[in-house]
Amino acid sequence: MLKEMGVQARQASACLARLMSKEKNRALFLIAEALEREQSAILLANQQDLEAAQQLSYSAALLDRLRLTPQRLALLQQALQQVIQLPDPLEQPAEYQILPSGLQLKRQRVPIGVIGVIYELRPNVTLDVSALCLKSGNAVILRGGKETQQTNHCLVTIIHQALIRSQIDPTAVQLIPSADRRWVNELICADKSVDLLITRGGEALHRLCREQATVPVINGGAGICHLFVDASADLERSLPLILNAKVQQPSTCNALETLLVHRSIASKLLPLLSEALALNEVTLHADPAAITWLSRGPAKVRPLCKEELDQEWLSLDLNLCLVEDIDEAIMHIHHHSSGHSEGILTQDASHAQRFTQEIDAAVVYVNASSRFPDGGQFGIGAEMAISTQKLHVRGPMGLESLTTVKWIAEGDYLVRN
Amino acid sequence: MLKEMGVQARQASACLARLMSKEKNRALFLIAEALEREQSAILLANQQDLEAAQQLSYSAALLDRLRLTPQRLALLQQALQQVIQLPDPLEQPAEYQILPSGLQLKRQRVPIGVIGVIYELRPNVTLDVSALCLKSGNAVILRGGKETQQTNHCLVTIIHQALIRSQIDPTAVQLIPSADRRWVNELICADKSVDLLITRGGEALHRLCREQATVPVINGGAGICHLFVDASADLERSLPLILNAKVQQPSTCNALETLLVHRSIASKLLPLLSEALALNEVTLHADPAAITWLSRGPAKVRPLCKEELDQEWLSLDLNLCLVEDIDEAIMHIHHHSSGHSEGILTQDASHAQRFTQEIDAAVVYVNASSRFPDGGQFGIGAEMAISTQKLHVRGPMGLESLTTVKWIAEGDYLVRN
């Protein structure tokens, strides 16, 4: 079955590669329009998914990721409009050169071909990802979470209608059944029909792909983000930043998971932190040294288990460790980072420099909240994922990262000497 | 053991990342100098490898790949000088922007870290690859062919001496024993210590990596290159080009493996081809329809087995098939291409356009020999490999492809709204 979808996707991708920008934009426009027209159908499907998830006792954080509202649909519509506005990466002028041999060499952007995307709860990904793939001339095979089945089915039906109205092969966007795990195993090994797999999920999915995928994979979306509060940090201004990083949208990959505090400022910062976090209902998972300073504060504190340092909470939980100095902070991050976003709060320029140089992550922050890295904030428009790996693309994945190049060489019956 | 090498490589890479261009160039200069000074030691080691290979009855093509000569050493020295001349990719100016939020965002090039390279016979790869990794600030773990053990050991000793004299950690370049296959299995799964694996070898190595590697892989070097002689091709000028693509250096990945000839010109082209190939001692593996036109010619002809169409000859063997039209040629290439270099000889502009658009390969040629794609010819200097995949880099892999980016974001205790 997947094989057949792969063949269809390959055929669709050949047609997509030849479309003009305006043809692709028209399809995106029709999708955006249908989001409004079909709002009640979408929300109804989403309600069915939410009820099923509630019956399975999903956490509030998970339900939040799953939920669509009229406001969120309006944001999705805006995101589609943004994708329409973005320049078509395939219209970048090709690079030309004439080599000393006389060979005329052209290097031009082309779509990657067929992209597989595996993601979890959030149904907005279905639209974002489809729009970015279409705009960049790629066919896409989607595998969303089983919790979002009804919503995704409804959204993909809307996309298909828009594609048909735009005279584009609807198999350009295909959704595989999410109920059966076997489809995932087939998809990650479909190297004949899928050129790139993008995974937006937790560490378990990444490990599965690392160990079993034969399709090239870009991992995105797992963020164990650290923030180190150095001895010289401005404490008063640090508090709102820590809160922002943790509570603004705890279910996203760029939310803060572990706070590292320089031991020398623990006595000042931790009591203030306890109050601020208690107000925001954050549970602290603190190491023994930190607990000393927290025991009288109002925040809920639990002893930290070692394994929690490698866990992406995605909830109102925060790990807290005291460190001796910047060396220990850097070492801690080396051991536990997922390579997403790591930050330092400091007034010491040499510490800021060491931190940005030595930390090996997609984004390194100095005196700023880890909540920033996304395509919108970084000025590259909507994004496919935040790549936490080093090859092809690192950080927010925009349209260009969904393309590759082809070299075209012309001569006049030219031979190599 | 590999784990320990990985830890050392990681440490060395942190130091390499901070070196200035001139420090790296000095080390490369010392290596180039030593190639001349130590020439007799290198050739002696190479002679030992050659004798061992001869005793194992290696083919002439393989012995040619293994052999070093004073001339080839001089070319290697030139290649090192070229790498010294190349601009340091880490000195590319960073891209700055200030986002509407006030965040100061910098995107800068950084080395990838630790690169593993698995290659086969050719000992020049040991030097090329080490030089490119050093210049781009990466540590490298090399795994050459077991047939080149003595030569590689001698070359890496020379590199180590030059690194020590340049006060660079010599574990920046490490060679793993090539006698034991288990090392390969360890290396391709060393995702904790190796950031990128580059494989220069045949399809078997690629399959092994596709199925078992947990380190991200770039496959390079397997080339099943096709050339389609269209009905409108200038036959007289086609002959020297076909010869160039096949015989100039048959042991390289960009040599021609399969010739597709439009049926309508078979009666004219094939007799001429038979003569030209016979003079160059090329054996033809021809399909039944082609054999008809070849039976009276002087070239050695064998019936083509289907499996040979997926084989990289690397020798003076050439597959030959007749095709009905450009559609059949494109379809044939879709089925058998390794995504390296594919060419068409034609006078018909619309056929040239269809071919360049529809063929999915790193380099597509019109009226030019497939022998061109290498870093030197394409003007990007020495090369690590020819990437036949679509992610990160496609075609010749120059210095920039050995780097990635890091985003550095600074604010004044900036939070996201």
Side-chain angles (χ1 to χ4, degrees), chain A residues 40-41 59 84 86 113 118-119 151-152 166 168 174-175 210 213 215 276 297 338 360 372 382 391:
Chain A
S40 53
S59 71
I84 292 173
L86 288 173
I118 303 180
Y119 52 106
T151 316
N152 283 341
S166 315
I168 298 175
Q174 295 180 82
L175 181 67
R210 201 158 54 233
V215 178
S338 62
D360 196 15
F372 280 101
L391 294 196

Short mmCIF file of all heavy atoms in Angstrom, two decimals, chain A residues 40-41 59 84 86 113 118-119 151-152 166 168 174-175 210 213 215 276 297 338 360 372 382 391:
data_model
loop_
_atom_site.label_atom_id
_atom_site.label_comp_id
_atom_site.label_asym_id
_atom_site.label_seq_id
_atom_site.Cartn_x
_atom_site.Cartn_y
_atom_site.Cartn_z
N SER A 40 -16.55 24.91 10.62
CA SER A 40 -17.33 24.10 11.56
C SER A 40 -17.04 22.61 11.38
O SER A 40 -16.97 21.86 12.36
CB SER A 40 -18.83 24.41 11.43
OG SER A 40 -19.20 24.27 10.08
N ALA A 41 -16.83 22.18 10.14
CA ALA A 41 -16.49 20.77 9.92
C ALA A 41 -15.16 20.42 10.58
O ALA A 41 -14.99 19.35 11.19
CB ALA A 41 -16.43 20.47 8.41
N SER A 59 -2.98 14.25 29.21
CA SER A 59 -2.67 15.37 30.09
C SER A 59 -3.15 16.67 29.46
O SER A 59 -3.40 16.75 28.25
CB SER A 59 -1.16 15.46 30.31
OG SER A 59 -0.53 15.89 29.12
N ILE A 84 2.28 32.02 0.98
CA ILE A 84 2.01 32.55 -0.36
C ILE A 84 2.93 33.73 -0.66
O ILE A 84 3.46 33.87 -1.76
CB ILE A 84 0.51 32.98 -0.47
CG1 ILE A 84 -0.39 31.74 -0.43
CG2 ILE A 84 0.27 33.79 -1.75
CD1 ILE A 84 -1.88 32.04 -0.37
N LEU A 86 5.90 34.31 0.54
CA LEU A 86 7.34 34.00 0.52
C LEU A 86 7.83 33.81 -0.91
O LEU A 86 7.11 33.29 -1.76
CB LEU A 86 7.61 32.70 1.30
CG LEU A 86 7.48 32.77 2.82
CD1 LEU A 86 7.61 31.38 3.42
CD2 LEU A 86 8.53 33.70 3.42
N GLY A 113 11.87 16.30 -4.03
CA GLY A 113 11.12 15.22 -4.67
C GLY A 113 9.92 14.80 -3.83
O GLY A 113 8.88 15.42 -3.87
N ILE A 118 6.78 12.75 9.69
CA ILE A 118 6.14 12.06 10.81
C ILE A 118 6.05 13.04 11.96
O ILE A 118 7.05 13.63 12.37
CB ILE A 118 6.97 10.84 11.25
CG1 ILE A 118 7.17 9.88 10.07
CG2 ILE A 118 6.29 10.11 12.41
CD1 ILE A 118 7.98 8.65 10.42
N TYR A 119 4.85 13.24 12.46
CA TYR A 119 4.69 14.21 13.54
C TYR A 119 3.68 13.69 14.54
O TYR A 119 3.09 12.62 14.35
CB TYR A 119 4.30 15.59 12.99
CG TYR A 119 3.11 15.60 12.05
CD1 TYR A 119 1.87 16.09 12.46
CD2 TYR A 119 3.22 15.12 10.74
CE1 TYR A 119 0.79 16.11 11.60
CE2 TYR A 119 2.13 15.12 9.88
CZ TYR A 119 0.92 15.62 10.32
OH TYR A 119 -0.16 15.63 9.48
N THR A 151 -9.23 15.05 12.69
CA THR A 151 -8.87 16.41 12.26
C THR A 151 -8.02 16.35 11.00
O THR A 151 -8.27 17.07 10.03
CB THR A 151 -8.09 17.13 13.37
OG1 THR A 151 -8.73 16.89 14.63
CG2 THR A 151 -8.02 18.62 13.12
N ASN A 152 -7.00 15.49 11.01
CA ASN A 152 -6.11 15.42 9.86
C ASN A 152 -6.85 14.96 8.60
O ASN A 152 -6.60 15.47 7.51
CB ASN A 152 -4.94 14.45 10.14
CG ASN A 152 -3.90 15.10 11.02
OD1 ASN A 152 -3.86 16.33 11.14
ND2 ASN A 152 -3.07 14.30 11.66
N SER A 166 -7.30 23.38 -8.48
CA SER A 166 -6.15 24.05 -9.10
C SER A 166 -5.51 23.20 -10.20
O SER A 166 -4.43 23.51 -10.68
CB SER A 166 -5.07 24.34 -8.05
OG SER A 166 -5.63 24.88 -6.89
N ILE A 168 -4.08 20.37 -9.89
CA ILE A 168 -2.85 19.72 -9.44
C ILE A 168 -3.22 18.33 -8.95
O ILE A 168 -4.24 18.15 -8.28
CB ILE A 168 -2.18 20.54 -8.30
CG1 ILE A 168 -1.79 21.95 -8.80
CG2 ILE A 168 -0.97 19.81 -7.74
CD1 ILE A 168 -1.24 22.87 -7.73
N GLN A 174 -0.49 13.24 0.60
CA GLN A 174 -1.15 12.01 1.02
C GLN A 174 -0.96 11.80 2.52
O GLN A 174 0.05 12.18 3.09
CB GLN A 174 -0.57 10.81 0.25
CG GLN A 174 -0.85 10.87 -1.25
CD GLN A 174 -0.26 9.68 -2.00
OE1 GLN A 174 -0.85 8.62 -2.04
NE2 GLN A 174 0.92 9.85 -2.57
N LEU A 175 -1.97 11.20 3.11
CA LEU A 175 -1.96 10.96 4.55
C LEU A 175 -1.98 9.46 4.78
O LEU A 175 -2.84 8.76 4.23
CB LEU A 175 -3.22 11.60 5.16
CG LEU A 175 -3.44 11.53 6.66
CD1 LEU A 175 -2.40 12.37 7.40
CD2 LEU A 175 -4.85 12.03 7.00
N ARG A 210 17.03 6.76 13.73
CA ARG A 210 18.49 6.64 13.70
C ARG A 210 18.87 5.18 13.48
O ARG A 210 19.78 4.86 12.71
CB ARG A 210 19.04 7.14 15.04
CG ARG A 210 20.48 7.53 15.03
CD ARG A 210 20.81 8.49 16.18
NE ARG A 210 20.43 7.99 17.49
CZ ARG A 210 19.68 8.66 18.36
NH1 ARG A 210 19.21 9.86 18.05
NH2 ARG A 210 19.38 8.15 19.53
N ALA A 213 15.89 3.72 10.00
CA ALA A 213 15.52 4.36 8.74
C ALA A 213 16.59 4.13 7.68
O ALA A 213 17.78 4.16 7.96
CB ALA A 213 15.33 5.86 8.95
N VAL A 215 15.82 5.85 4.72
CA VAL A 215 15.62 7.15 4.09
C VAL A 215 16.43 8.18 4.89
O VAL A 215 16.45 8.10 6.11
CB VAL A 215 14.11 7.54 4.14
CG1 VAL A 215 13.88 8.92 3.54
CG2 VAL A 215 13.26 6.50 3.44
N ALA A 276 7.84 33.26 42.05
CA ALA A 276 7.36 33.50 40.69
C ALA A 276 6.82 32.21 40.05
O ALA A 276 5.79 32.22 39.38
CB ALA A 276 8.49 34.06 39.83
N GLY A 297 10.20 28.29 50.27
CA GLY A 297 9.42 29.04 49.27
C GLY A 297 8.11 28.34 48.97
O GLY A 297 7.91 27.17 49.35
N SER A 338 19.89 18.53 23.57
CA SER A 338 19.41 17.88 22.35
C SER A 338 19.83 18.68 21.13
O SER A 338 19.35 18.44 20.02
CB SER A 338 17.89 17.73 22.40
OG SER A 338 17.28 19.01 22.46
N ASP A 360 27.39 23.52 21.49
CA ASP A 360 27.16 22.96 20.17
C ASP A 360 25.65 22.75 19.98
O ASP A 360 25.13 21.67 20.27
CB ASP A 360 27.91 21.62 20.10
CG ASP A 360 28.07 21.13 18.67
OD1 ASP A 360 27.88 21.93 17.74
OD2 ASP A 360 28.41 19.95 18.51
N PHE A 372 12.46 32.02 21.22
CA PHE A 372 12.49 32.70 19.93
C PHE A 372 12.59 31.83 18.68
O PHE A 372 12.02 32.18 17.67
CB PHE A 372 13.59 33.75 19.91
CG PHE A 372 13.18 35.02 20.61
CD1 PHE A 372 13.61 35.29 21.89
CD2 PHE A 372 12.33 35.91 19.98
CE1 PHE A 372 13.20 36.44 22.54
CE2 PHE A 372 11.93 37.06 20.63
CZ PHE A 372 12.36 37.33 21.91
N ALA A 382 7.16 30.68 7.53
CA ALA A 382 6.72 29.45 8.20
C ALA A 382 7.86 28.44 8.18
O ALA A 382 8.82 28.58 7.42
CB ALA A 382 5.51 28.89 7.48
N LEU A 391 23.60 18.51 9.48
CA LEU A 391 23.66 18.43 8.02
C LEU A 391 22.44 19.06 7.36
O LEU A 391 21.35 19.01 7.91
CB LEU A 391 23.73 16.96 7.58
CG LEU A 391 24.99 16.21 7.94
CD1 LEU A 391 25.07 14.95 7.12
CD2 LEU A 391 26.23 17.05 7.74
#
